[in-house]
Amino acid sequence: MSDAFTTRVLHVSSGSRERVVDLTGDCEAFLREAADGRDGLLNVFVPHATAGVAIMETGAGSDDDLLTALHTLLPADDRWQHRHGSPGHGRDHVLPALVPPHATLPVVEGRLELGTWQSVCLVDTNRDNAERRVRLSFLGH
């Protein structure tokens, strides 16, 4: 594989409750190895139909605020046509339309170019799937 493109899969246990999981440290660790001080792009992709990737502040209540907002927009009730799994699971399949399953971020001199309070997060509202994969891919020169 060319050193211009490197990819790795993270295995994330999101548990049996709705969660926002901060992946920033995992992304930084991957870039220390893959980017090796170079400029490029980091793509973060969740290959699941019921999870997404958000760039947001964490730790100050914003992660809980996001989950609350998603409950308002996508209530976990019986209104959904998609009905397998736990009650209201159909909303989990709508989530990626609002919180996309990917993000592409600039990397400068091997480091993520995030704003002061920004973190890379997995957003998982699906209580039926506690194990997630997240693909990190670096394309650089």
Side-chain angles (χ1 to χ4, degrees):
M1 181 178 295
S2 166
D3 66 353
F5 179 79
T6 306
T7 189
R8 175 174 301 142
V9 174
L10 302 176
H11 296 276
V12 179
S13 284
S14 56
S16 59
R17 63 183 177 89
E18 299 177 0
R19 290 200 47 211
V20 175
V21 179
D22 190 338
L23 302 174
T24 309
D26 295 303
C27 293
E28 291 169 339
F30 170 69
L31 288 172
R32 278 192 295 278
E33 183 179 315
D36 193 30
R38 296 176 294 151
D39 295 346
L41 297 171
L42 173 68
N43 183 264
V44 182
F45 176 69
V46 181
H48 298 281
T50 58
V53 176
I55 309 303
M56 61 179 291
E57 179 180 7
T58 60
S62 297
D63 33 359
D64 290 331
D65 289 342
L66 174 61
L67 293 174
T68 299
L70 289 172
H71 267 280
T72 300
L73 293 169
L74 304 171
D77 58 23
D78 64 359
R79 74 183 69 202
W80 308 102
Q81 300 297 313
H82 189 105
R83 293 182 186 258
H84 75 83
S86 61
H89 175 65
R91 80 181 199 110
D92 300 326
H93 287 274
V94 177
L95 173 75
L98 301 175
V99 181
H102 60 87
T104 301
L105 305 162
V107 176
V108 177
E109 296 179 354
R111 298 179 51 91
L112 276 175
E113 278 290 295
L114 293 172
T116 302
W117 303 112
Q118 289 180 319
S119 295
V120 181
C121 300
L122 168 69
V123 179
D124 188 358
T125 61
N126 183 355
R127 296 173 295 153
D128 297 334
N129 189 351
E131 300 298 320
R132 298 300 189 157
R133 289 177 293 131
V134 179
R135 179 169 294 281
L136 304 178
S137 300
F138 174 73
L139 178 63
H141 58 85

